[in-house]
C-alpha cells in the first residue's frame, strides 16, 4: 500500500495518493513526535513540514527504499532539531524523554470490557514505569508495528538493543499483569 502510493506520487504527481499516504501515516508520526517534543501543536507542525518537504521532493521519492522508516527518521531528526533550537541544548538522551502511549480500544460485552479495562490499566501502569528508552522502543515495535531493523535505523541503535529492550518491557508488563490477576 505505502509502496503503491509512493510510486503514484513520484511518477504521476498524484495528490490523492499523497493524501492517502498522509492520512495513513500522520497519526503514528504525530504520536512519535509528541513523545519527543511534548507539544501537540509543535508535533503536528513538524510532521506537516516533513510531508511538505516530501511533496516538494516527490520526484526523488523512488530513491527511498523504506518510506515509513525514512519518515520516522525524518520526524526524529526534526524533533531533535526543534528541541535543540527551543532549549539550546546540544544533545537529548532517551533517558530524558517521556513517551506517551495510547490505550488500546476493544469492543466486547460489558464483562469482557471490564476485565479488559482492568488489564489495560495494569498494562498501562507497567508501561508508564518503563525507562524512557525502553518505552520508546516498545511503542515503535508494538504500537507502530515497526520491524526491529526499522527501529534500529530510526533510533540509530543495534537490533540487539531493541530485542533486549522489548524483552525487558514485555517481562515487566507480564509481571504487572500477573500481580494484578493474583490480587
Amino acid at each position: 500500500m505505502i509502496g503503491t502510493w509512493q510510486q503514484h506520487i513520484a511518477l504521476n504527481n498524484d495528490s490523492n495518493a499523497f493524501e492517502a499516504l498522509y492520512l495513513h501515516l500522520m497519526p503514528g508520526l504525530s504520536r512519535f513526535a509528541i513523545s519527543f517534543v511534548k507539544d501537540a501543536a509543535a508535533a503536528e507542525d513538524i510532521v506537516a513540514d516533513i510531508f511538505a518537504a516530501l511533496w516538494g521532493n516527490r520526484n526523488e521519492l523512488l530513491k527511498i527504499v523504506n518510506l515509513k522508516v525514512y519518515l520516522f527518521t525524518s520526524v526524529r531528526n526534526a524533533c531533535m532539531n526543534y528541541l535543540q533550537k527551543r532549549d539550546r541544548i546540544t544533545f537529548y538522551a532517551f533517558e530524558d524523554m517521556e513517551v506517551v502511549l495510547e490505550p488500546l480500544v476493544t469492543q466486547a460485552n460489558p464483562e469482557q470490557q471490564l476485565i479488559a479495562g482492568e488489564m489495560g490499566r495494569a498494562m498501562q501502569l507497567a508501561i508508564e514505569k518503563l525507562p524512557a528508552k525502553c518505552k520508546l522502543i516498545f511503542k515503535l515495535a508494538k504500537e507502530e508495528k515497526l520491524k526491529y531493523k526499522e527501529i534500529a535505523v530510526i533510533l540509530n541503535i543495534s537490533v540487539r538493543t531493541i530485542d533486549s529492550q522489548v524483552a525487558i518491557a514485555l517481562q515487566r508488563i507480564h509481571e504487572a499483569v500477573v500481580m494484578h490477576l493474583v490480587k
Side-chain angles (χ1 to χ4, degrees):
M1 179 167 28
I2 292 173
T4 303
W5 291 328
Q6 184 177 359
Q7 287 182 337
H8 283 278
I9 296 164
L11 300 174
N12 306 323
N13 293 322
D14 188 341
S15 61
N16 290 329
F18 183 77
E19 182 180 358
L21 177 72
Y22 176 81
L23 292 173
H24 181 73
L25 293 177
M26 185 274 301
L29 291 169
S30 292
R31 283 190 303 272
F32 183 61
I34 289 169
S35 296
F36 285 97
V37 300
K38 306 293 184 261
D39 180 341
E44 285 182 27
D45 288 344
I46 288 168
V47 173
D49 289 346
I50 296 296
F51 274 100
L54 188 71
W55 179 256
N57 295 319
R58 62 190 173 275
N59 56 335
E60 303 291 319
L61 209 49
L62 292 179
K63 293 179 182 176
I64 300 171
V65 175
N66 188 328
L67 185 59
K68 190 172 184 179
V69 169
Y70 173 84
L71 289 170
F72 271 94
T73 303
S74 297
V75 168
R76 181 208 59 202
N77 292 340
C79 288
M80 293 301 188
N81 289 339
Y82 169 84
L83 290 171
Q84 288 172 353
K85 287 177 187 172
R86 185 192 72 188
D87 299 339
R88 296 193 174 127
I89 295 175
T90 58
F91 176 76
Y92 268 91
F94 283 121
E95 291 75 19
D96 297 336
M97 296 179 193
E98 184 177 327
V99 179
V100 178
L101 295 171
E102 293 186 358
L104 298 173
V105 178
T106 60
Q107 293 180 349
N109 68 43
E111 181 182 3
Q112 289 173 330
Q113 286 179 340
L114 178 64
I115 293 168
E118 290 175 10
M119 297 299 282
R121 283 187 290 282
M123 288 175 60
Q124 192 65 30
L125 184 60
I127 291 167
E128 291 306 316
K129 291 181 179 179
L130 292 172
K133 182 178 182 179
C134 186
K135 195 185 315 182
L136 177 61
I137 291 169
F138 183 80
K139 171 187 167 40
L140 291 173
K142 300 303 178 189
E143 185 178 311
E144 299 303 330
K145 304 205 184 318
L146 291 170
K147 296 175 184 165
Y148 289 6
K149 286 183 180 180
E150 295 172 333
I151 298 168
V153 171
I154 292 167
L155 300 179
N156 195 27
I157 57 179
S158 74
V159 173
R160 270 198 174 142
T161 300
I162 294 161
D163 190 39
S164 69
Q165 291 297 310
V166 170
I168 289 167
L170 291 173
Q171 180 181 1
R172 290 185 182 177
I173 293 166
H174 173 75
E175 289 168 359
V177 170
V178 167
M179 286 178 29
H180 181 74
L181 289 174
V182 172
K183 287 183 180 181

